[in-house]
Amino acid sequence: MKLIILAAGNKLTRLDDRNNIPKSLLKYDKDETILEHQIKTFSNFGITNPIIVGGYGILRIMEAFPSLKYYYNKNWETTKSLYSLYCALDEFNDDLIVSYADVVYDASSIKNLLELENDVSIIYDSAWKNRHEGRSQTFQDEAEKVFC
């Protein structure tokens, strides 16, 4: 089983506009970044050596995690997630988990995902809309496009 983490984008929010830090390198808690938390959580289930598809800030991510395998989306400024995933096409020779780099998982979510026997499974936050209350209407409209 392989884990491909999509980390190419630069969708600036109120969280990540400080020092132009990629969202995956923002602190999840005082001890670890979002990406560190992802790697640790997946490794608890035997999924090690994630593959990163980067673009914006890839050098900063590579400095923080030099031992990982990387693909570079040279068109990160004009493409979306599917194009980034396509950059790692060589990895499509095993079961895959594909994740965005700025998602925080708990162990139960990963456990539930791995127990599924479907060809394709998607996990999502069923309470995502509640977590985004108070954000701008533009954000809500953009998020709604993903939800539809």
Side-chain angles (χ1 to χ4, degrees):
M1 170 117 10
K2 293 181 179 181
L3 171 62
I4 298 176
I5 300 175
L6 306 177
N10 179 24
K11 182 71 173 171
L12 292 178
T13 68
R14 60 189 163 84
L15 292 176
D16 63 0
D17 60 359
R18 302 168 300 207
N19 301 317
N20 296 319
I21 297 172
K23 283 194 276 186
S24 62
L25 296 183
L26 291 174
K27 292 290 185 184
Y28 166 65
D29 64 27
K30 64 180 178 166
D31 296 324
E32 64 187 5
T33 65
I34 295 171
L35 189 53
E36 284 173 312
H37 180 77
Q38 266 191 5
I39 291 168
K40 182 176 75 175
T41 302
F42 279 101
S43 70
N44 289 335
F45 293 94
I47 301 169
T48 57
N49 302 316
I51 298 143
I52 308 292
V53 181
Y56 172 79
I58 191 171
L59 293 178
R60 290 182 87 165
I61 298 170
M62 291 173 83
E63 287 172 4
F65 302 94
S67 65
L68 299 182
K69 185 173 186 177
Y70 290 88
Y71 289 88
Y72 181 59
N73 176 354
K74 65 181 178 184
N75 299 314
W76 65 268
E77 291 182 273
T78 58
T79 60
K80 303 286 184 185
S81 303
L82 190 57
Y83 185 89
S84 288
L85 182 59
Y86 186 76
C87 291
L89 187 63
D90 290 344
E91 303 298 332
F92 289 29
N93 55 8
D94 196 355
D95 289 339
L96 296 175
I97 294 176
V98 179
S99 177
Y100 293 116
D102 60 348
V103 177
V104 176
Y105 297 96
D106 62 20
S108 65
S109 296
I110 304 305
K111 180 179 182 293
N112 291 340
L113 176 66
L114 294 173
E115 289 174 352
L116 296 172
E117 296 183 15
N118 304 321
D119 289 338
V120 176
S121 300
I122 299 172
I123 59 174
Y124 69 98
D125 180 359
S126 61
W128 72 270
K129 216 169 191 182
N130 295 337
R131 296 185 206 290
H132 297 288
E133 287 180 10
R135 293 200 181 174
S136 72
Q137 186 59 48
T138 300
F139 176 85
Q140 291 284 338
D141 291 344
E142 289 177 8
E144 193 69 24
K145 290 178 188 174
V146 173
F147 184 71
C148 291

